[in-house]
Amino acid sequence: MDFTETVTTVLDGWQRGIDDHRPADVAAFFTEDALFQGAHPGYSLGRQGVADYYAGQPVGLTVRYAIRELRPLADGVLSAYVDPVFTRPDGVVLRFHLTLILRRQDTGRWLISHYHVSRIEENH
């Protein structure tokens, strides 16, 4: 199985939802019980928390990403280490490390079940 294609399909949808400021579309790439920890303090469980988080992001926010590592953990479970770069509408660039766990659903579709970012502080 080509895990790169699997993760790219999920992340491309996630990216489109962010770029188009469509929080419900972003949340559709997460499991119903997803554990989500974005750049804000705290975390949420489930798609609604993901949608709420991205609804609070500014219109015009964009993201680009690079997949760094992929590892199958078990049948139907995959981990990914990704470097996303978010650009705010004012041009400020924010770099992160992102760890994902994806699970294959009964339908065969892969969704994010765990999402955790760590901001990369730029040294000037």
Side-chain angles (χ1 to χ4, degrees):
M1 169 171 244
D2 184 358
F3 293 123
T4 301
E5 182 179 333
T6 297
V7 174
T8 298
T9 298
V10 172
L11 289 178
D12 282 355
W14 167 80
Q15 177 183 20
R16 277 190 308 276
I18 292 170
D19 289 356
D20 296 343
H21 196 70
R22 297 176 59 99
D25 290 358
V26 175
F29 288 91
F30 288 77
T31 62
E32 292 287 347
D33 64 347
L35 174 60
F36 179 86
Q37 189 271 311
H40 298 159
Y43 69 95
S44 65
L45 297 173
R47 286 186 181 148
Q48 188 59 55
V50 175
D52 292 347
Y53 178 87
Y54 283 106
Q57 299 302 312
V59 174
L61 179 74
T62 60
V63 63
R64 299 299 169 260
Y65 68 88
I67 298 170
R68 300 295 181 203
E69 295 288 334
L70 299 173
R71 299 227 169 105
L73 300 177
D75 185 38
V77 182
L78 175 65
S79 74
Y81 184 70
V82 179
D83 284 339
V85 177
F86 292 86
T87 304
R88 295 191 325 208
D90 62 4
V92 172
V93 174
L94 303 169
R95 299 177 193 287
F96 293 87
H97 295 304
L98 170 61
T99 302
L100 299 170
I101 303 294
L102 292 91
R103 286 193 337 237
R104 187 176 54 232
Q105 306 302 291
D106 292 340
T107 62
R109 186 173 182 219
W110 287 83
L111 297 175
I112 300 166
S113 68
H114 181 95
Y115 177 109
H116 180 265
V117 294
S118 299
R119 184 164 177 197
I120 302 170
E121 296 296 332
E122 303 288 335
N123 293 332
H124 293 90

